[in-house]
Amino acid sequence: MTAPGAPPEEPVKGKSLWQDALRRLRRNRAAVASAVFLALLVVACIVVPMFVDYQFQQTGAKFQPPGYSERTGKLHLFGTDELGRDVLARCFYGGRISLLIGIVATLVAIVIGTLYGAISGYAGRRVDDVMMRIVDILYGVPYMLIVLLIMVAIGKRGLVPLFGALGLFQWLTTARIVRGQVLTFKNREFVQAARTIGAPRMRILFRHLLPNTMGPVIVYSTLMVPSVILQEAFLSYLGLGVQQPHTSWGLLASDGARAINPIETYWWILVFPAIFLGSTLLALNFLGDGLRDAFDPKGRRA
Amino acid sequence: MLRYILVRLLWLPLILLVILGITTWLMRIAPGSPFAAEKSIDPQIMQQIERKWGTNKTGWQWFGSYLAGIARGDLGPSFKVQGRTVNDLLGSALPVSLTLGLLALFLALLVGVPAGFLAGLRQNSIWDYGSMAIALVGISLPAFVIGAFLIVWLVFHWDVLPVGGWGTIDKLLMPAVTLSAPFAAVIARLARAGVLEVVHEDYIRTAKAKGLPKGEIVLKHLVRGAILPVVSYLAPAAAAILTGSFVVEKLFRIPGMGMHFVNSALNRDYSLVLGVVIVYATLLVLFNLVVDVAYGFLDPRVRLGK
Amino acid sequence: MRKTLLFCAIVLTAGFGVVAFAFRKSAIPPADFTFTNGTEPKSLDPHIMTGQPEGRIGLALFEGLTYWDPETLEPKPGMAERWEESPDGRVWTFHLRRNARWSNGDPVTARDFVWSWQRALAPETASEYSYMLWDLVNAQQFTEGKIRDFAQVGLAAPDDHTLRVTLRTRVPYFLDLTAFYTLCPVHPATVEKWEKIGTGQWTLPGNIVTNGPFLLDFWVVNDRIRLRRNPDYWNAESIRLEVIDALSMDDVTASLNFYLRGESDWNPGYWPASLNTLIMDRPDFTRTESFFTYYYRINNTLPQFKDVRVRKAFSIAIDRKEIVENVLGLGEKEAFTYVPPGVPGYESPKGLEYDPAQARRLLAEAGYPGGRGFPSVKLLFNTHEAHEQIATVIARQLRENLQIEVQPYREEWQAYQSHTRTLEYDLARAGWIGDYLDPNTFLDMWITDGGNNQTGYSNPLYDRLYRIAKDTPLFVAAPEEDLYRLLVEGENLRSLVDEARSLPDGSRERALAAGRVRMLVFKEMERLVCEIDVPIIPLYFYVTKNLVKPWVEGCHPYIRGPNGEKLPNVRDIHPLRGFHVRPH
């Protein structure tokens, strides 16, 4: 690993750095559009299920195509699935869980990664050596396999083990980023100043160093959320994902993929969850790329 | 250089030890047994079976004798596919997955690098958004969705490709495309970022300001800028493309490593799980090494073994 | 730049080199007949194998004393040319044909059978199906290790071509069992030689020695098993297929796609259940009743399920009709009893019908009026889309009819099995396929501490009835007096027992009369399970389902009965030896 050589001419003006970034972000139309879309989607996933008049678990006439169903006498905008459940309602419920998993697992990874990286970078020398060696070793772990094994081993399955298992190996890169940032800022004037007035180490770390590392971490996290959501989809495909009564976009899409067949395509069970999943992940990716461009105008990766 | 490679290789056994330990522990605490059958087996008979296969030992003992086996190059017998050794099973599955994975990697490079290059050159333009949107579809949809669409269209509607299986190159195409999609996306993103970095370098800005046409030298730098970050990604990509192939192998019925991994984990076929983990972890470490060496070869700023 | 290009060139060449290398061998020639065979076979050892994918291959590679005629499924002379049965049906003498050969040229002898059946019964072989031989005198005791000397088991080979089998009692379906793969012989020298090297090694291509109509050509794990006609098979001229490919496929979607694309000529039911209604209308689809019950186990050891009224309430609060019609839709039959219809001479009791009002009353009587105070119920099932859909619907029904919160809970196969076995569940999905056409294959499960019981159900009366059905079917001793009073059909049973005992000992008439008693005892046992104690909830009887290309002959959903009548092929057995492909 090459240590991140922070360009010395970059000014340490906390606020204006963010303002600069925001200005650059606003120029990126795709990122702005993505941000707006995501905000709307999150609101919709929270609000829509409250107003849908049929419960997402309710079963009725199965495989009704999108539109008004004669058999149920109801409007099913996205049609119904193999048990007659409304696909639209399930898409929004699934969105709640998928987004929740993405965000929570990412938070788990950020917390672990930030603490680990900060301690490693701040402690320096031997501790740093050992801690980073451990990260190197863990990079050699085929982690999707381990996540799968963990899900198998836990046996009892709820949302919490899922958050944990998915967040468990995501923190490695965060740790490296944070460590790099801490190393960069550790000997800056404002940290030294704090040190000379006798601030405790923990306070220096948490009040002065960590806030300065958050930019790159946020950027990286925006890209971590979609990958976590995708991994949940993979686990769902194997039947190791979320349990009833919850559902997720990954689960809906994998059920839908099974119903795709050449005899008669129940396309709506696959297409709508796939659109939700795909557009959300696309937006998150665009936003993440936009944020990175904005925070790091030269495209240098930490 | 040589010393650097040697040191890195010396890390391998340690990494393997850690991973194998974790895996053994996870398999041990998982409910179930490799010998559980649909119909219940008499406890006495079960004891006999476990003795025969050596799984009656404690976790540590078993792990010890397993490591001893590895030292002899023997990964043990598969518990579930009776009569086959793990060496046999992996020996026939690994070439399949490697072939599929390499082809997928090439497709990913073939699509990803030009897309990222284009996007980076015309930042924030319709070209940027358009090419990135197409590329990013790969990491926005799971493989089982992409694969399902490909099968319906290419196999059943247009009738241009076989439905799956292994043996001829036309059967390989659809799985390779499905497998390559997410990697094409990441490569495109990296290439774009790499180009952007070069575009903002002072000498390029100067050249642009002077109104010079994008000459050969400029292009050369841009290409290098696009390729370098991609190269460092090839290691995790190559490893992930092999591990991530389960869905594709299942969907298209390909007798590769991914099938073995998931099935062995679900069947509690301990020895096969460990065998697969060894292969994956070794590949990961070796790819990482190869890429770091290649990086040093490509980028004169990087010195290895400092 | 040059370096970069050079690097790319090297990587590209290497890659395409690998691809070219992988395909340097031309594709294998196609088989005459290809079928989808479900999941990868665990073993090709007839004494180890279980399950349909293994069975299809097993009966193509090996042949027992008899084989099932593909059109009637009657046992026909196989390795045995002819046989005699003693009047009371307890002693069978098989005469082996002299032209039967192993694939290595050795003759198949009666000693091979003795060796093989001993192997199948021996505890160290750990054959799951060893109980298929337990009708032999002392065979069960041998498997359980209570008898070490195999000479005490009812099996002898007076000479190389004669096999004498002594049964505990007359077993009406014994001849049928001799065609089953567990009773097939294996080549002793081959097995002994390779088992020293590693378990199952002898079944690998090149090592394996077989005696059936087909030979094992090759076996690529997760891809295919290729069978080739055995030219030295004693009845080789009756086999019309030269090369057969059995494709192993876990994925039901892929299985269906392969069939629809013509890459497979026969798909024995491997497709997503949600597509059933679409597939049903196809001309190449066939279905029949099957000997397979789908049911839910109730954890009888939990305090809330100790009360029989609660268990009954659960059973009659489930509307099976909605499940068979809306979820399954292949013409499956609702199940109110446990033994599927189709056993000759056996009639099940009525069982408990759907009655939500009565269910609510029973629940209230048990102390949970309106479901109040009843703990939330976890409904365990293993990962499978159809199980999930059924569980979802049943959870809703129980919620609506009993106001009890039921949570469907999915686990992968191993965890599900382990938790069912250790009784870590409330309700658990289960299914049972009958191995032979007799109620015993279903009803021996529910005895106290039976290995497959897994509900904690225990009723001494049930255990007594089971011992009668199993141990004293010839009624040398009459059952105890009080038993008749405890049973619904006690008086019928008494007169049947008296009738049997009045007939001369050792006569065929007495054996047949005892057989009728046995069936009545089974009926009482099933009544305990389905009407009185209700430790389980029967839900529906499966149907067999097959997709067969029009040019394929040999897949018979209906078989010809002994009098030429059309009978459903309830066990879904389609021996590969009967297949034939017309030019197309």
Side-chain angles (χ1 to χ4, degrees), chain A residues 25-132:
Chain A
L25 187 64
R26 269 203 296 272
R27 277 216 308 265
N28 186 334
R29 275 162 293 168
V32 171
S34 298
V36 173
F37 171 79
L38 286 170
L40 289 176
L41 186 83
V42 169
V43 173
C45 281
I46 296 170
V47 173
V48 170
M50 296 178 184
F51 292 98
V52 183
D53 64 339
Y54 21 87
Q55 271 205 322
F56 81 112
Q57 280 205 15
Q58 195 170 333
T59 51
K62 61 177 177 179
F63 292 132
Q64 298 293 304
Y68 179 78
S69 161
E70 302 265 311
R71 284 185 54 196
T72 58
K74 279 177 187 158
L75 183 68
H76 297 286
L77 267 184
F78 291 1
T80 65
D81 70 359
E82 73 277 5
L83 286 177
R85 293 170 292 196
D86 185 65
V87 176
L88 178 115
R90 278 170 73 75
C91 277
F92 281 105
Y93 270 97
R96 281 184 175 183
I97 300 296
S98 278
L99 291 172
L100 191 69
I101 288 173
I103 291 166
V104 175
T106 303
L107 283 179
V108 170
I110 291 179
V111 170
I112 302 178
T114 307
L115 285 179
Y116 193 96
I119 292 169
S120 174
Y122 193 65
R125 276 185 293 247
R126 291 220 79 85
V127 181
D128 185 32
D129 267 359
V130 171
M131 287 179 85
M132 280 301 118

Side-chain angles (χ1 to χ4, degrees), chain A residues 57 59 62-63 82-83 85 152 155-157 237 239-245 258-259 261-264 266, chain C residues 253 257 260 272 274-275 278-279 326-327 383 385 388-389 392-393 396 399 407-412 419:
Chain A
Q57 280 205 15
T59 51
K62 61 177 177 179
F63 292 132
E82 73 277 5
L83 286 177
R85 293 170 292 196
V152 163
K156 298 254 178 294
R157 222 160 292 126
Y237 180 75
L240 296 171
V242 292
Q243 282 280 359
Q244 285 196 27
R258 229 176 269 124
N261 72 93
I263 306 175
E264 187 186 327
Y266 301 131
Chain C
T253 311
N257 289 342
L260 292 174
S274 54
L275 305 181
L278 290 181
I279 289 171
N326 289 354
V327 182
T383 311
E385 35 139 20
E388 176 133 22
Q389 290 167 20
T392 311
V393 172
R396 200 205 66 228
R399 214 159 24 229
Q407 198 54 65
Y409 189 76
R410 179 190 60 232
E411 284 188 340
E412 42 91 27
H419 291 144

